Amino acid sequence: MGLIRIAAVSAHFGRDLDHDLDRIAGLIGTARAQGVHLLVLPDAALGGYLADLRDPDPESLPPAIELDGPRLTRVATLAAEMVVCLGVREAAGDLRYNTAVCLSGDGVLGTHRKVHQPAGESIAYTAGDRFSAFDTPVGRIGMLVDYDKTFPESARTLALDGAEILACLSAWPTSITNRAPRMADDRQSRLFDLYDCARAAENQVVLASSNQTGSLGGMRFLGQAKVVGPGGDVLARTWSKAGLAVAELDVGAEIARARRVLAHLSERRPGAYA
C-alpha cells in the first residue's frame, strides 16, 4: 500500500457507553485530520474494563456489546474509510468474551477473543482459543488483547499467519500487588514497554500498542501507547499521557529491510524446540 499512517491511542473509557462513543468519535476525527489510515483504540473502549482484577464484582461488570448491534454499527459509520480497532465485552449468546474488533465503514473486518486470562478475569469473560490474522485495506493484521502479548507464541502465531501489523489493545494497569510511587518506576510499566518492543523485533513486524489511561475502581492504567517498527524501535509514543502516537511508514518496505539479512520466521528450527 506504500506509506500509511498508524495511530495508537491512550485514553480513558468507562461504563457510560454514550460518553465512550463521543470520545471515540472525537479520536477518529482527530486521527482523520492527521491523515491516519489505521487507528488502534484500547481494550474495553466501549464500556470500560474491570474495576477490580483480583475479585471482580459480578454486579458491576462492563456492559455486553453485540458485534452486529447499534454501538459497533455507529463506530463503523464513524470510521468510514479508516480502519479502526477497538475492544469490547462481546455478547455471544450466553457467553461473554474480551474481544478486539477491527472494522471500517464496510463493517467488521476481523475479531480476536482474548485467550490468556489473568486471575479473576474468568468471572467476567470466557477465554478465546485461537490466533489468526486477516486482510484489511491497510494490510494483513493480527490482534492481541492485554495479557496475550506476554506470551511470545501469540504474536509468533499471527506472524506465521502473515500478519505484518500487530494491533495490541490493552487496559493494562500498574502493579496490583506492589505499585510503585512513580508510574515510570512501576514493574508493569517496564514490562508493558518490553513486551511491545520484543514482540515487534522477534517477529520483525510493525506493532501498534494502545492502552487505557486514568483509573477505574482500584485500577490505575498506564497509557504508554506506541508504534514500534520491525526492528523493535519505538517510532512514536504517548508516554503516560492521553493522546495519539502517530507514525508514518511503508510497512512492507520496513519489514523487507528488517528481514534482508536475518529473517527470523524463515530461519526458525521448529524440530529443535520441543
Side-chain angles (χ1 to χ4, degrees):
M1 181 174 174
L3 284 174
I4 65 168
R5 285 199 169 197
I6 299 172
V9 173
S10 285
H12 178 70
F13 298 91
R15 294 287 184 265
D16 187 329
L17 291 173
D18 290 334
H19 186 268
D20 291 341
L21 278 169
D22 287 343
R23 177 154 291 170
I24 289 169
L27 288 164
I28 289 175
T30 299
R32 179 169 287 115
Q34 297 184 40
V36 168
H37 301 90
L38 170 63
L39 179 68
V40 181
L41 295 159
D43 177 30
L46 279 176
Y49 187 57
L50 303 179
D52 184 342
L53 194 55
R54 287 174 293 187
D55 187 24
D57 181 358
E59 301 302 317
S60 60
L61 299 178
I65 306 293
E66 295 180 349
L67 298 191
D68 59 355
R71 306 288 183 179
L72 285 177
T73 298
R74 172 64 176 151
V75 177
T77 300
L78 291 166
E81 81 293 344
M82 195 183 301
V83 175
V84 176
C85 302
L86 74 158
V88 302
R89 183 167 179 253
E90 177 195 354
D94 293 333
L95 300 178
R96 302 290 182 265
Y97 295 93
N98 191 345
T99 299
V101 184
C102 183
L103 46 73
S104 71
D106 293 328
V108 174
L109 303 171
T111 62
H112 167 65
R113 291 169 171 168
K114 180 178 178 180
V115 172
H116 300 97
Q117 294 183 313
E121 205 178 68
S122 60
I123 293 174
Y125 308 98
T126 299
D129 60 7
R130 64 179 58 88
F131 296 93
S132 57
F134 52 92
D135 294 320
T136 78
V138 296
R140 192 160 176 83
I141 290 178
M143 296 192 293
L144 303 171
V145 177
D146 291 316
Y147 197 36
D148 282 338
K149 73 178 177 185
T150 303
F151 299 85
E153 298 88 347
S154 305
R156 177 53 53 86
T157 299
L158 293 171
L160 290 172
D161 196 25
E164 294 183 313
I165 301 170
L166 299 182
C168 298
L169 290 68
S170 294
W172 196 292
T174 57
S175 176
I176 296 171
T177 57
N178 189 25
R179 180 180 294 172
R182 293 178 65 251
M183 187 179 292
D185 298 329
D186 194 89
R187 174 175 177 270
Q188 289 301 324
S189 177
R190 295 193 301 273
L191 288 174
F192 186 84
D193 283 345
L194 174 65
Y195 294 146
D196 284 339
C197 295
R199 298 296 89 87
E202 67 197 4
N203 294 293
Q204 298 173 305
V205 296
V206 174
L207 183 146
S209 175
S210 61
N211 197 18
Q212 294 241 10
T213 58
S215 299
L216 182 65
M219 305 280 273
R220 181 187 179 200
F221 300 105
L222 292 169
Q224 298 180 199
K226 64 182 73 66
V227 179
V228 185
D233 46 322
V234 177
L235 305 178
R237 68 194 316 160
T238 65
W239 302 102
S240 62
K241 298 179 181 179
L244 276 67
V246 182
E248 182 177 79
L249 68 163
D250 184 325
V251 173
E254 290 299 322
I255 290 175
R257 184 177 296 111
R259 297 176 180 177
R260 183 172 52 204
V261 177
L262 299 175
H264 300 167
L265 298 184
S266 63
E267 292 165 356
R268 294 166 58 248
R269 296 285 300 279
Y273 303 150

